[in-house]
Amino acid sequence: MNAHLPAHIHARVDAVLDAVDTELRARYPGAGERVQPVHTAYVAADRATAATPADWGATALDLLDRHAEFLAGLDATGCAPAVRRRLTEQPIQDLRIDFEDGYGFRADDEEDAAAIAAGKVLAGWAGQPGAPSSFGIRIKGLAANERRRALRTLDLVLDAAGGAPDGFVFTVPKIRAAQQVSAIVDLCSGLESGYGLPDRTLRFELQIESPQAIIAPDGTAPIARMIQLADGRCSALHFGTYDYTAACGIAATDQALDHPAADHAKAVMQVAAAQTGVWICDGSTQIVPDTNPEGAFANHYRLVERALRRGYYQGWDMHPGHLITRWLATYDFFRTATEVAVPRLVAYLDRRSGGVVDEPATAEALATTVLRGLRCGAVTEGELASSALELDVPVLEALAARKPTPPDAR
């Protein structure tokens, strides 16, 4: 057949679409190789010490033993031994020493001392077995009445830590406008210059807890703009349950992670961050296992499972008891999901339907789920190999990235 498309039109189309491809690759690079933690523990600066992760783990183990019978009823997949190992070996994956709401306003000399102490604690955790893999601080907000204190605390923490330890990230609360993100980027650049750190060493998280971060005055959704202005430095978006729902006028008795107003905000965050490599982190619950442990356990397990089913794979933990149900619900979720995913992936590789005809996008999602289960410890590589020899980590990574799988996987 003769081609009728003029060469100069073909070239023009290529030029336009090549530019679009380049921009889309830059804005939406995909998940990348970072491994998302399942949670972030928040500890007020006046209570955080080098022993905090071990102390939380010990308290969680004690609660686990005292309420073993009840917790066994929540354990859908028999993962209690794995949860116990986790609480013993590394109970907290990610931790923020909190200088904001959990700490409050103190005299400058008191917060200065707490910032210096925090920097030394963080430096000590870097690379230490059993310590959190990632850690940092939550500074105060950027509004005029808090800004000076927030910047001074961050500076003092870095100074005391000898720079930015591996795994360091800081959280910026109460973000309300995209322009604030540009200021944070400038702050990072200035601190890197001042401390002689390599470019882009410092990364930050944006805490979304204001309605203005979801819908701007002009009616746009500013989070996507915030991510672009972050210039690759934004690690995650963290949802602030109570500030957000309070600002929306929700009565205190109804402020919760599963309120429709909270669901809407997190859905906007999820869409804005999709394929950018920026993680979404669910917020916290104020119900802790003190006066009614079993009720708190059941509530937290339900909320964690609910978040996982909605694609929010990380959340805040505010109490050592939350670690039990965080890991229990997470391991149950990924073990169950892996049992479903493995035969479908094997059928996909063999080009058999098995009753379900999966497309590449579904294979990508299935493989990503199994990889999350492996990386958080819910499933071991040995368990995976025993159920499907065709599915090792390289094959799963290829499927998740939509790349050709190794020839022997077919």
Side-chain angles (χ1 to χ4, degrees):
M1 296 179 62
N2 294 323
H4 298 282
L5 180 66
H8 72 284
I9 297 297
H10 196 294
R12 185 184 303 172
V13 169
D14 275 344
V16 171
L17 296 183
D18 284 347
V20 171
D21 288 344
T22 299
E23 181 178 2
L24 288 174
R25 281 195 299 269
R27 292 184 182 275
Y28 302 100
E33 297 182 357
R34 296 188 303 140
V35 177
Q36 185 174 11
V38 305
H39 70 157
T40 300
Y42 269 76
V43 182
D46 57 342
R47 296 198 298 271
T49 70
T52 292
D55 290 344
W56 273 45
T59 300
L61 285 168
D62 178 61
L63 286 167
L64 178 63
D65 290 336
R66 286 195 280 122
H67 301 278
E69 184 176 353
F70 176 82
L71 290 165
L74 299 177
D75 184 1
T77 61
C79 64
V83 170
R84 178 175 291 277
R85 284 195 300 274
R86 168 62 71 172
L87 295 176
T88 302
E89 296 170 2
Q90 190 195 36
I92 297 176
Q93 269 194 323
D94 184 45
L95 187 148
R96 296 293 169 276
I97 297 177
D98 187 19
F99 286 90
E100 203 228 356
D101 286 349
Y103 182 72
F105 290 94
R106 311 288 181 97
D108 276 343
D109 58 349
E110 185 177 355
E111 183 159 339
D112 284 351
I116 293 168
K120 293 177 180 178
V121 167
L122 297 178
W125 284 340
Q128 179 183 343
S133 301
S134 53
F135 44 75
I137 66 169
R138 178 169 67 168
I139 62 175
K140 288 181 169 60
L142 300 179
N145 63 323
E146 300 181 28
R147 185 186 312 142
R148 182 196 64 82
R149 184 64 258 183
L151 302 190
R152 177 171 174 80
T153 294
L154 177 58
D155 202 350
L156 286 173
V157 167
L158 292 173
D159 184 65
D166 289 342
F168 179 82
V169 63
F170 66 97
T171 307
V172 186
K174 296 180 174 58
I175 291 293
R176 300 182 70 191
Q179 299 92 318
Q180 290 174 309
V181 178
S182 296
I184 301 169
V185 171
D186 288 342
L187 170 64
C188 290
S189 295
L191 288 169
E192 288 165 351
S193 177
Y195 283 97
L197 300 172
D199 184 41
R200 297 179 180 276
T201 295
L202 292 176
R203 297 178 65 87
F204 56 83
E205 300 158 335
L206 302 176
Q207 192 167 350
I208 306 303
E209 49 188 337
S210 299
Q212 295 78 22
I214 299 299
I215 300 179
D218 62 359
T220 61
I223 293 180
R225 179 65 175 155
M226 292 177 183
I227 291 172
Q228 297 308 315
L229 290 174
D231 195 26
R233 291 182 182 268
C234 181
S235 293
L237 305 175
H238 286 223
F239 183 62
T241 309
Y242 301 101
D243 279 77
Y244 185 85
T245 52
C248 287
I250 310 302
T253 51
D254 291 311
Q255 292 173 5
L257 282 173
D258 54 354
H259 191 281
D263 283 341
H264 171 258
K266 287 180 283 189
V268 173
M269 292 164 60
Q270 186 177 50
V271 172
Q275 299 180 315
T276 65
V278 175
W279 300 326
I280 301 298
C281 180
D282 202 5
S284 64
T285 175
Q286 83 280 31
I287 301 174
V288 298
D290 284 341
T291 57
N292 179 16
E294 294 183 355
F297 287 141
N299 180 67
H300 191 244
Y301 183 100
R302 177 185 66 83
L303 289 172
V304 173
E305 182 184 45
R306 182 180 189 273
L308 290 167
R309 293 180 66 84
R310 284 159 174 75
Y312 311 131
Y313 299 109
Q314 182 180 356
W316 288 11
D317 288 331
M318 309 295 288
H319 185 282
H322 286 160
L323 300 182
I324 302 170
T325 36
R326 172 70 60 187
W327 289 110
L328 194 63
T330 300
Y331 282 6
D332 278 342
F333 175 83
F334 282 111
R335 286 187 179 207
T336 301
T338 298
E339 289 178 0
V340 173
V342 165
R344 288 176 64 178
L345 286 170
V346 171
Y348 178 82
L349 290 171
D350 290 346
R351 300 298 187 268
R352 299 191 306 265
S353 71
V356 180
V357 181
D358 288 321
E359 297 185 356
T362 306
E364 173 190 353
L366 292 168
T368 299
T369 297
V370 177
L371 284 171
R372 283 187 179 275
L374 286 167
R375 289 165 178 167
C376 76
V379 181
T380 68
E381 291 190 39
E383 290 170 331
L384 182 65
S386 67
S387 61
L389 291 175
E390 305 96 325
L391 294 177
D392 56 16
V393 171
V395 170
L396 290 168
E397 289 176 339
L399 289 169
R402 296 208 202 185
K403 294 181 179 179
T405 54
D408 58 357
R410 294 192 177 92

